Amino acid sequence: MRVLGVDPGLTRCGVGVVDGAPGRPLTMAAVGVLRTPADAETPLRLVAIERGLEEWLDAHRPEAVAVERVFSQHNVRTVMGTAQASAVAMLCAARRGLPVALHTPSEVKAAVTGSGRADKAQVGAMVTRLLRLDAPPRPADAADALALAICHIWRAPAHDRIRRAHAAARREPPTPRPKGTIPS
Amino acid sequence: MRVLGVDPGLTRCGVGVVDGAPGRPLTMAAVGVLRTPADAETPLRLVAIERGLEEWLDAHRPEAVAVERVFSQHNVRTVMGTAQASAVAMLCAARRGLPVALHTPSEVKAAVTGSGRADKAQVGAMVTRLLRLDAPPRPADAADALALAICHIWRAPAHDRIRRAHAAARREPPTPRPKGTIPS
């Protein structure tokens, strides 16, 4: 399974492609960062990110895309940019019919280090080890994108089971209310 | 000048097209709402919004797009969806080379009602009056999209002046520090 991980951001958007399957060795296919100038207008930055992601999707043909799930408890300005960049990533993938999964930062940290509260250095060190690299990928956004892809490869089977269960539950007819009872 | 106003949202994305110029009567060209099912996955909802906005841009050929500026002080879940939908709107417009302006909710309210703290009903009433409609557009998202377009038509000249001034300032060489002075 080939997965593109995307660590969304307007200034630096990390991208990493990993091949692997649960319980099998992982291989890095590519890693990089899409950058847009901080003084450019947001709409133009989003267009640049879309173009960059399209190139990555064309070049590496992943079977799934994993994007970091954005929370808004942090810095307001940063969060907005991150949410906007993640929207572009989801859009590019879904437009091609690729499955998109969102993983929270703690899910990703827990997947690669065993702890949901691991720091950047620990994530970088584990990504280096798991992908048998010579040095941690720089900047941290690139390492985070690879960690997202790894997290997705390892979590995907569980993810699919939950999804199928939900879909099956939706297909079942709603339980009819027994006749003659009074709604409480 | 023809402006498409977009009140971004995943569940309801208001769209309204207004023709006009500062100091001249305004005319509504079209108004509507793009809806996506709340139980659909976010990536697919974003694709549906992109498709809908592309249809509106093709059908009405606006010269500019005005999008509500999103703040994250409100409900976290809603804000994320709004930020993502607004990213799609900015992307669709910028990809076509259309100028995109972001206006805050209070700028829009102040523009159409005279008060930045006006309620939905007041905005709806003024939109109805300014566009000489028979009744306020429903739902409120549709009226808000028209209000955004009106706000942009009225503010655009000032907007352009500020933009040109910024661009000129950037072109000027930085002031050299006089020789022999000590930086404070």
Side-chain angles (χ1 to χ4, degrees):
Chain A
M1 167 180 227
R2 171 166 283 198
V3 176
L4 169 67
V6 181
D7 182 29
L10 285 183
T11 305
R12 285 186 308 278
C13 182
V15 277
V17 182
V18 178
D19 291 309
R24 304 277 303 274
L26 301 159
T27 318
M28 181 180 84
V31 68
V33 176
L34 307 171
R35 293 170 194 273
T36 74
D39 61 349
E41 289 180 21
T42 306
L44 298 177
R45 301 178 81 180
L46 296 174
V47 172
I49 288 169
E50 180 188 44
R51 208 168 290 158
L53 288 172
E54 287 291 337
E55 282 168 17
W56 274 74
L57 290 165
D58 283 340
H60 301 287
R61 306 257 153 219
E63 290 146 73
V65 176
V67 183
E68 188 176 296
R69 189 185 290 277
V70 185
F71 291 106
S72 85
Q73 67 247 37
H74 309 293
N75 180 293
V76 173
R77 263 189 79 87
T78 318
V79 159
M80 284 296 127
T82 311
Q84 289 160 347
S86 82
V88 175
M90 288 190 261
L91 185 68
C92 289
R95 220 162 35 191
R96 292 178 181 234
L98 293 177
V100 185
L102 303 175
H103 300 291
T104 66
S106 34
E107 281 168 354
V108 175
K109 288 173 190 173
V112 301
T113 74
S115 161
R117 290 178 297 168
D119 63 13
K120 291 261 172 210
Q122 209 177 333
V123 171
M126 281 309 294
V127 164
T128 311
R129 188 172 307 164
L130 293 166
L131 298 174
R132 288 153 291 136
L133 307 176
D134 295 328
R138 299 255 173 250
D141 314 76
D144 284 348
L146 292 170
L148 265 157
I150 296 171
C151 168
H152 186 68
I153 289 169
W154 287 347
R155 288 175 60 103
H159 226 265
D160 278 356
R161 271 200 304 278
I162 294 164
R163 211 155 134 169
R164 275 198 300 272
H166 273 299
R170 269 206 294 271
R171 276 195 305 273
E172 277 173 23
T175 319
R177 185 187 296 152
K179 276 180 194 161
T181 58
I182 297 153
S184 58
Chain B
M1 167 180 224
R2 170 166 283 198
V3 176
L4 169 67
V6 180
D7 182 28
L10 285 182
T11 305
R12 285 185 309 277
C13 181
V15 277
V17 182
V18 177
D19 291 309
R24 306 277 302 274
L26 301 159
T27 319
M28 181 180 83
V31 68
V33 176
L34 307 171
R35 294 171 194 273
T36 74
D39 61 350
E41 289 180 21
T42 306
L44 298 177
R45 300 178 81 181
L46 296 173
V47 171
I49 289 169
E50 180 188 45
R51 207 167 293 158
L53 288 173
E54 287 293 337
E55 282 169 15
W56 274 74
L57 290 165
D58 282 340
H60 300 288
R61 306 255 155 220
E63 290 146 73
V65 177
V67 183
E68 187 176 296
R69 190 185 289 278
V70 184
F71 290 107
S72 86
Q73 68 248 37
H74 309 295
N75 180 292
V76 174
R77 262 189 79 87
T78 319
V79 159
M80 285 295 126
T82 313
Q84 289 159 348
S86 81
V88 174
M90 288 190 260
L91 185 68
C92 290
R95 220 158 39 187
R96 292 179 181 233
L98 293 177
V100 184
L102 302 175
H103 301 290
T104 66
S106 34
E107 282 168 355
V108 174
K109 288 173 189 172
V112 302
T113 73
S115 161
R117 290 180 297 168
D119 63 13
K120 291 261 171 213
Q122 210 178 331
V123 170
M126 281 309 294
V127 164
T128 310
R129 187 172 308 163
L130 292 166
L131 297 174
R132 290 153 289 137
L133 308 175
D134 296 328
R138 299 256 175 247
D141 314 77
D144 285 347
L146 292 170
L148 265 156
I150 295 170
C151 168
H152 185 68
I153 289 169
W154 286 347
R155 288 174 61 104
H159 225 265
D160 279 354
R161 271 199 304 278
I162 293 165
R163 212 155 133 169
R164 275 199 299 272
H166 273 298
R170 269 205 292 271
R171 277 195 304 273
E172 276 173 25
T175 320
R177 184 188 296 152
K179 275 180 193 161
T181 58
I182 297 154
S184 57

